[in-house]
Amino acid sequence: MSSADLPASNDLPVAGTAYGLGIGPGEPDLITLKAYNILQQADVIAYPALEDGVSLARQIVDPHIPEGRIEIAIRIEMGKPADPIYDTAAIEIGEYLAAGKTVAVLCEGDPFFYGSFMYLFGRLAEAGYPVKTVPGVSSMMACAAQLGAPLAAKNDVLQVIPGPLDADRLRTQLANTDAAAIIKLGRHFAKVREVINELGLTDRARYIERATLETQKMVPLADLPADAKAPYFSMILIHRRGDAWR
């Protein structure tokens, strides 16, 4: 989709603004005051949702959403290309912006840290609409806080490593860093765990899933059963000194 496919924002004298709101990792109280205030004033609230209607982002801010707001569920179809979905969502949001409406787009964690909002940001900004981003508490920061495990200190090099990388790339990245946050585990968990063990880092690794939610679970990686599974919303934090302050 090109920017020409979107309604032109300068065709009307008043155009609304789209706000990408970082709403934190899961606990409703971790939303920032700025994001909360924008949410209260927005005419339209958009959020990613699974095909069956479930939206973690919507659930997180449910206590904060005023009645009577227009809502747009951006249905993500697992296993299918996401670009057409964001194309369609950008067109729908653009129509509200061109009509002078304010649109709040919910994004778990932080919008620009592996956040889904960045794909809408690119489309809307290129089409000439006012788009602003409100940073949020990222999952990485929340995991570190819940685990009581500072990420890095002094001159430490910290890497964020996606679990879907192949084993060789994982091994290379982990072997050349002081600290790491391994994200997007899910079905890649067994592979990641094997690489960590090969590098002798298992006793330096902490596992956490669904940080800040009621279903949160955290444990030393070494204490997990050999056949343990990990959900998508899980993370492993590693520091070569064991604790960053040492």
Side-chain angles (χ1 to χ4, degrees):
M1 181 188 73
S2 69
S3 58
D5 296 321
L6 297 176
S9 61
N10 56 6
D11 286 347
L12 297 174
V14 177
T17 299
Y19 293 90
L21 303 185
I23 57 172
E27 184 181 344
D29 288 351
L30 287 176
I31 187 174
T32 66
L33 285 174
K34 184 171 184 177
Y36 174 84
N37 289 333
I38 292 171
L39 190 60
Q40 300 308 298
Q41 301 170 31
D43 302 301
V44 182
I45 299 172
Y47 46 83
L50 297 178
E51 294 172 82
D52 60 5
V54 176
S55 171
L56 176 59
R58 176 65 171 76
Q59 291 174 342
I60 290 172
V61 300
D62 182 69
H64 309 313
I65 295 181
E67 294 183 2
R69 296 298 188 265
I70 299 168
E71 297 192 21
I72 300 173
I74 303 170
R75 303 289 178 190
I76 306 299
E77 301 180 49
M78 302 306 292
K80 294 186 178 181
D83 282 346
I85 297 170
Y86 288 117
D87 288 346
T88 300
I91 290 172
E92 184 174 4
I93 291 171
E95 290 173 348
Y96 283 109
L97 296 176
K101 302 292 185 181
T102 299
V103 181
V105 184
L106 309 181
C107 186
E108 300 148 22
D110 181 273
F112 282 177
F113 184 73
Y114 296 92
S116 58
F117 173 70
M118 70 178 74
Y119 305 109
L120 289 172
F121 176 90
R123 288 162 168 79
L124 294 170
E126 287 177 357
Y129 293 104
V131 189
K132 297 184 178 180
T133 302
V134 179
V137 177
S138 74
S139 58
M140 188 170 68
M141 302 307 175
C143 287
Q146 295 298 106
L147 286 165
L151 292 167
K154 304 175 183 177
N155 293 324
D156 287 339
V157 174
L158 170 67
Q159 290 197 45
V160 181
I161 304 175
L165 294 180
D166 63 56
D168 288 341
R169 178 81 184 278
L170 280 167
R171 193 176 295 107
T172 298
Q173 299 299 131
L174 276 175
N176 293 282
T177 192
D178 302 303
I182 308 176
I183 64 174
K184 303 180 182 181
L185 296 175
R187 59 190 177 88
H188 306 282
F189 178 62
K191 172 192 63 183
V192 171
R193 190 174 186 180
E194 182 178 352
V195 170
I196 292 172
N197 189 54
E198 288 174 5
L199 293 173
L201 295 172
T202 297
D203 64 341
R204 308 286 173 148
R206 299 172 171 90
Y207 171 86
I208 182 170
E209 63 185 52
R210 300 184 176 94
T212 77
L213 296 172
E214 292 182 0
T215 53
Q216 172 181 289
K217 174 182 177 180
M218 52 186 183
V219 64
L221 184 63
D223 291 351
L224 284 176
D227 60 349
K229 306 294 183 183
Y232 180 81
F233 291 108
S234 58
M235 189 177 301
I236 295 172
L237 297 185
I238 297 176
H239 200 289
R240 287 189 177 275
R241 293 193 299 276
D243 295 306
W245 60 76
R246 296 191 187 280

